[in-house]
Amino acid sequence: MASACGILASRSKFLNKLVFFSNSRTLITSDIFNSSPRVFSYNVRYFSDGASLDGKHKLYSLDPIDHHESKFDKILIANRGEIACRIIKTCRQMGIKTVAIHSDVDSTALHVKMADEAYCLGPAPTSKSYLNVDAILDVIHKSSTQAVHPGYGFLSENMDFAQHLEKMGIVFIGPNWKSIHAMGDKIESKRIAAKAQVNTIPGFDGVVESPDECVKIAKDIGYPVMIKASAGGGGKGMRIAWNDQEAIEGFRFSSQEAKSSFGDDRLLVEKFVDNPRHIEIQVLCDKFGNGVYLNERECSIQRRNQKVIEEAPSTFVDENLRKAMGEQAVSLAQAVGYDSAGTVEFLVDSQKNFYFLEMNTRLQVEHPITECITGVDLVQQMIRVAKGHKLKIKQSDVGINGWSIESRVYAEDPYKNFGLPSVGRLYKYIEPLHLKNVRCDSGIQEGSEISIYYDPMICKLITYGPTRDAAIGTMINALDAYVIRGVSHNIPLLRDIMTESKFVKGDISTKYLYEVYPDGFSGKQLTETQLEHLASLCGCIFVRNETRSRHFLNQPLPPLESTLPTDWNLITEIGGKNVELLVSVKKQVFEVSVNGNQYTIPIDILLSAPVLETTIGGVPYTCQLIKQDGAGNLRIRFAGTTFKVRVLTEIAAEYERIMPKKPEKDVSKVVYAPMPGLLRSIACKVGDTVAEGQEVCVIEAMKMQNSLVIGTTGKVKTVHCKEGDEVKDDQIIIELE
């Protein structure tokens, strides 16, 4: 852990700056469109710098930073969020000053606070901020920056941007623009790969011009096919088609998403390799023709072609396959004169045949797991190579030391199609950095806002261990102890995967989520014993809360001896199931009787603690009591999933039974927004007759387009929104009569 950075703001009458007195760094905050100064208040925060995982062993050990080597004085990070913070941490260790850029809504973002200087580019939309090349070039000039690191996404694979920098004499910390051009177009990259004798997927070697042509090509190749953006990446602009109708729809949505995300709506079609693994090879090359591969990453667990969990190495790859894929990856990189860190992605079938998918000419989101098992700081190596240094690492130096897993923690609802975006403010946020062998690459902190404008990633949670089982065990503990309040998040899904039998065995493919959860994710399915444990814990929490609220004030752990009963007959309702239990209060423990089983729970339950660590019948649990009220309603995170639990005394349960039931609403005649987003199109108007299953509107959130259909046939009564409106989660858009 790096030491805390105490920050004190000072405003000068003549100079627009904030001074970091702890390290004499200056944060320039003038808006390039507005010269008026800004002053922010800062909180003390500890940053995990990734230099070590357990406080003893250095993570980046294969080629440590050489402070005698020549280096850049100042680097601008043309990005935001966690990757900007990640780059700043390595720059700090190398003794390089950093410049941050930001939109107006990111003015108090973490990467802005961490950098030595920061400049506002403009409004929130990416076209006016993080993709605004002219504004960024202006900042480069004003800040006297020597080099630019683009991170991933945004301008990281933009050939024109790299060329602009070259003309200005500014170093682009990434591959040369010719390599970006060669690999950035999926059509051209397949041709180059074939010439370099890299295995490629059968497909159409050209741009698809229309839906009809898309159908014809798909039939020639043979369904299923993958329709994807030529200039795409990150799962955007990609659709699988199994028939003509899906090919037409795939062409439409992929081209729209591609235009929105990349400004390029060209598409290609290729054979979809059914039930494959998605395995990628990390390569590292310098400007002198040297290149190495840093083993593989298993990235098969995906939803909507976007990765969810990655690990390194892969349980499926043996030494021969690793060598063959690695050598082809390096061969491809050298064929285009590649000179930075990059990733060559492959699809691998059950017979270990592998096919080139694409090359990402940038730092990959999941790069930390490679760093964990190889000891190589990829950001440091990118900066060294860009400065003109040779690689010190040879292929024989690269080994596999242990196992690492990355869980992408997103602000999204995993119960809706494995994750539809969620927005809001993080009113409580605690990363599990107290655990050994845990790394959190995040760009947010308590109080941060998750908006509709950018990717909903909260953090990349990385764990490391000598074995895969150890890395999984640490990941389970880290997910249980991760406190996030204010937005929905996908920790329940991530946590459930960690204990799912197919994942534990390493039996995964790109279809994993849809095979394991064919009806969608519905939360942790508790065993009978786990249900009893949860019911017992909630009963004890109810008793402690009742005792505390009735008799004791201003005592952190009030004694439970009182005039209140020592035996409590309770009924808990969990997911529609009623569990009866008897809670007996003893001196040091609660004794709980449920379904003929006896469990003991320590009496020192801290109801105010964000994380509750206890044992139930000797079994350890890390839980989170999110909310409780005086009526016995609890929201508790148990085994990763948040459960709504009701705890009632016998008499309260009797009254409950005779209460009238609230009738359920008929929602088939209403279209709700399943997530916050932008209403791209509306396909009906008041008075129209629509059929069940008909598309009535399209919502775009985080650059992904989602088609909404009506649940029944009828006449449109009201259209509450218009095209271009921003809608909230569960907002009514269309109603039928």
Side-chain angles (χ1 to χ4, degrees):
M1 299 283 287
S3 61
C5 182
I7 303 171
L8 184 62
S10 174
R11 184 167 184 173
S12 166
K13 184 175 181 181
F14 303 104
L15 297 177
N16 175 29
K17 60 185 177 182
L18 294 172
V19 181
F20 290 57
F21 287 96
S22 62
N23 58 6
S24 301
R25 298 189 300 127
T26 303
L27 173 61
I28 310 298
T29 61
S30 59
D31 188 322
I32 64 172
F33 302 112
N34 183 349
S35 60
S36 60
R38 297 177 173 186
V39 178
F40 303 119
S41 62
Y42 290 85
N43 296 319
V44 175
R45 176 184 168 89
Y46 288 87
F47 298 109
S48 172
D49 60 14
S52 65
L53 285 169
D54 61 7
K56 297 178 182 178
H57 303 97
K58 287 293 182 182
L59 173 58
Y60 304 136
S61 57
L62 191 55
D63 181 19
I65 294 170
D66 181 358
H67 290 287
H68 298 291
E69 239 179 21
S70 61
K71 64 178 186 293
F72 297 111
D73 295 324
K74 187 185 290 187
I75 292 174
L76 180 141
I77 295 98
N79 216 300
R80 65 179 299 278
E82 68 86 12
I83 190 57
C85 295
R86 161 71 187 91
I87 296 166
I88 290 170
K89 290 170 187 175
T90 287
C91 288
R92 280 183 177 178
Q93 293 163 15
M94 296 180 74
I96 299 172
K97 293 181 179 180
T98 54
V99 179
I101 57 173
H102 61 92
S103 65
D104 55 4
V105 299
D106 273 347
S107 293
T108 57
L110 190 55
H111 75 283
V112 174
K113 299 178 182 181
M114 288 177 64
D116 296 281
E117 302 174 24
Y119 293 81
C120 182
L121 297 174
T126 55
S127 61
K128 298 179 180 179
S129 52
Y130 297 103
L131 292 177
N132 188 341
V133 173
D134 289 340
I136 295 172
L137 295 178
D138 190 22
V139 171
I140 290 170
H141 175 72
K142 289 184 177 181
S143 62
S144 301
T145 292
Q146 295 174 303
V148 174
H149 198 306
Y152 56 75
F154 293 140
L155 297 170
S156 62
E157 296 176 285
N158 188 302
M159 178 190 68
D160 294 333
F161 181 61
Q163 279 185 300
H164 273 302
L165 295 180
E166 185 179 284
K167 291 175 182 177
M168 292 173 65
I170 304 298
V171 177
F172 181 76
I173 302 177
N176 60 81
W177 66 265
K178 293 178 182 177
S179 296
I180 297 174
H181 174 68
M183 291 289 100
D185 188 299
K186 288 184 173 64
I187 297 170
E188 183 62 23
S189 67
K190 283 187 66 176
R191 293 171 179 163
I192 295 171
K195 288 181 181 178
Q197 297 185 329
V198 177
N199 304 345
T200 58
I201 302 172
F204 175 67
D205 192 11
V207 177
V208 185
E209 300 290 350
S210 68
D212 291 340
E213 186 182 6
C214 184
V215 170
K216 182 180 182 302
I217 293 168
K219 285 181 176 180
D220 291 341
I221 296 172
Y223 289 110
V225 297
M226 174 69 81
I227 303 166
K228 59 185 182 180
S230 176
K236 296 180 176 67
M238 299 175 68
R239 290 291 192 280
I240 299 169
W242 295 80
N243 54 50
D244 292 355
Q245 184 59 38
E246 290 183 2
I248 293 171
E249 292 175 355
F251 180 91
R252 172 190 166 201
F253 284 115
S254 292
S255 60
Q256 290 174 354
E257 287 177 4
K259 184 69 173 178
S260 176
S261 298
F262 315 113
D264 184 344
D265 62 359
R266 293 177 302 147
L267 301 178
L268 59 86
V269 180
E270 64 188 18
K271 181 69 176 177
F272 176 64
V273 181
D274 196 17
N275 211 36
R277 286 177 180 256
H278 186 132
I279 294 175
E280 59 190 29
I281 301 291
Q282 176 71 59
V283 296
L284 185 61
C285 304
D286 63 19
K287 299 179 185 297
F288 302 91
N290 303 305
V292 296
Y293 60 90
L294 303 179
N295 306 315
E296 79 281 357
R297 295 186 288 257
E298 171 76 72
C299 306
S300 296
I301 298 183
Q302 306 176 3
R303 49 55 172 153
R304 299 187 299 278
N305 299 306
Q306 291 182 312
K307 301 161 191 171
V308 177
I309 292 173
E310 302 99 347
E311 60 182 304
S314 167
T315 59
F316 188 68
V317 176
D318 55 36
E319 188 55 43
N320 290 334
L321 180 58
R322 179 176 298 117
K323 186 172 185 290
M325 295 174 71
E327 288 177 349
Q328 286 199 16
V330 172
S331 174
L332 176 62
Q334 292 177 331
V336 294
Y338 201 82
D339 53 355
S340 187
T343 298
V344 181
E345 300 194 348
F346 295 96
L347 291 181
V348 185
D349 68 19
S350 60
Q351 304 303 309
K352 297 191 176 180
N353 299 307
F354 60 93
Y355 304 96
F356 170 71
L357 184 63
E358 63 182 348
M359 183 175 187
N360 291 310
T361 55
R362 53 172 167 78
L363 190 65
Q364 200 83 334
V365 176
E366 55 274 17
H367 75 274
I369 56 177
T370 293
E371 295 181 329
C372 286
I373 68 166
T374 62
V376 177
D377 183 336
L378 286 167
V379 174
Q380 173 209 350
Q381 295 301 322
M382 293 180 76
I383 294 171
R384 286 189 67 254
V385 168
K387 184 62 178 173
H389 297 298
K390 288 185 178 181
L391 289 179
K392 296 179 182 179
I393 303 166
K394 297 183 175 66
Q395 193 62 58
S396 58
D397 299 328
V398 179
I400 298 177
N401 182 21
W403 212 283
S404 187
I405 298 175
E406 175 179 290
S407 292
R408 298 192 187 189
V409 181
Y410 283 104
E412 60 187 20
D413 186 347
Y415 303 100
K416 295 179 179 179
N417 195 24
F418 297 110
L420 294 183
S422 172
V423 300
R425 187 174 297 280
L426 297 169
Y427 67 84
K428 195 167 198 65
Y429 182 75
I430 305 173
E431 294 174 346
L433 291 172
H434 61 288
L435 299 173
K436 288 184 178 180
N437 294 335
V438 171
R439 170 177 167 179
C440 292
D441 280 20
S442 63
I444 51 90
Q445 59 186 340
E446 195 162 284
S448 291
E449 182 84 18
I450 307 296
S451 74
I452 67 169
Y453 297 106
Y454 311 118
D455 188 273
M457 183 185 288
I458 294 174
C459 173
K460 298 182 318 198
L461 179 63
I462 303 107
T463 61
Y464 172 81
T467 64
R468 186 171 187 262
D469 287 345
I472 291 174
T474 302
M475 181 63 73
I476 291 171
N477 293 335
L479 290 168
D480 283 344
Y482 204 147
V483 179
I484 302 173
R485 308 275 196 274
V487 295
S488 298
H489 54 76
N490 66 333
I491 285 179
L493 174 61
L494 299 171
R495 171 61 164 76
D496 200 57
I497 290 171
M498 289 297 135
T499 57
E500 194 278 320
S501 59
K502 285 174 66 91
F503 175 79
V504 171
K505 289 186 292 186
D507 179 16
I508 59 178
S509 73
T510 55
K511 285 185 171 182
Y512 172 85
L513 286 179
Y514 304 97
E515 290 176 345
V516 174
Y517 308 102
D519 300 319
F521 179 67
S522 56
K524 176 71 175 177
Q525 303 305 300
L526 299 178
T527 65
E528 196 63 36
T529 298
Q530 289 172 328
L531 181 64
E532 291 178 0
H533 285 179
L534 176 56
S536 299
L537 177 61
C538 291
C540 295
I541 290 173
F542 176 85
V543 171
R544 173 158 286 288
N545 188 53
E546 285 288 299
T547 306
R548 182 183 66 172
S549 61
R550 291 191 195 183
H551 278 269
F552 302 99
L553 297 173
N554 302 319
Q555 295 184 45
L557 280 175
L560 288 178
E561 292 83 1
S562 68
T563 57
L564 287 171
T566 55
D567 293 332
W568 296 72
N569 288 297
L570 303 173
I571 297 174
T572 62
E573 181 186 325
I574 305 171
K577 294 182 179 180
N578 288 342
V579 181
E580 297 182 8
L581 56 150
L582 172 64
V583 179
S584 299
V585 182
K586 305 299 182 182
K587 263 201 169 183
Q588 300 297 328
V589 297
F590 292 107
E591 291 184 356
V592 184
S593 177
V594 50
N595 295 333
N597 297 313
Q598 304 291 325
Y599 303 110
T600 58
I601 300 176
I603 213 162
D604 57 343
I605 299 174
L606 289 173
L607 302 183
S608 60
V611 177
L612 173 64
E613 294 187 358
T614 190
T615 59
I616 304 173
V619 179
Y621 284 96
T622 300
C623 309
Q624 295 183 32
L625 180 58
I626 298 171
K627 190 176 182 180
Q628 62 174 328
D629 61 24
N633 296 299
L634 287 79
R635 288 184 65 228
I636 185 168
R637 220 168 90 193
F638 181 88
T641 292
T642 300
F643 292 91
K644 293 181 180 179
V645 182
R646 294 201 68 195
V647 183
L648 302 173
T649 61
E650 284 186 323
I651 189 167
E654 184 60 36
Y655 289 145
E656 176 81 8
R657 278 191 285 271
I658 62 176
M659 292 286 287
K661 302 295 182 185
K662 188 176 181 179
E664 293 186 3
K665 289 183 178 179
D666 178 11
V667 297
S668 64
K669 295 185 177 182
V670 181
V671 175
Y672 294 91
M675 77 207 89
L678 189 68
L679 200 55
R680 276 294 178 194
S681 64
I682 298 177
C684 63
K685 61 182 183 299
V686 174
D688 286 354
T689 298
V690 292
E692 179 181 349
Q694 178 180 331
E695 178 189 296
V696 291
C697 60
V698 173
I699 286 183
E700 181 178 279
M702 280 77 175
K703 302 299 180 184
M704 295 293 286
Q705 298 205 354
N706 302 272
S707 172
L708 304 186
V709 300
I710 197 70
T712 188
T713 299
K715 184 177 289 187
V716 177
K717 174 185 176 183
T718 312
V719 178
H720 292 274
C721 308
K722 63 181 183 299
E723 291 182 6
D725 283 355
E726 289 184 13
V727 293
K728 299 177 181 178
D729 189 18
D730 286 333
Q731 180 176 335
I732 297 176
I733 300 173
I734 295 168
E735 286 184 89
L736 301 187
E737 293 181 353

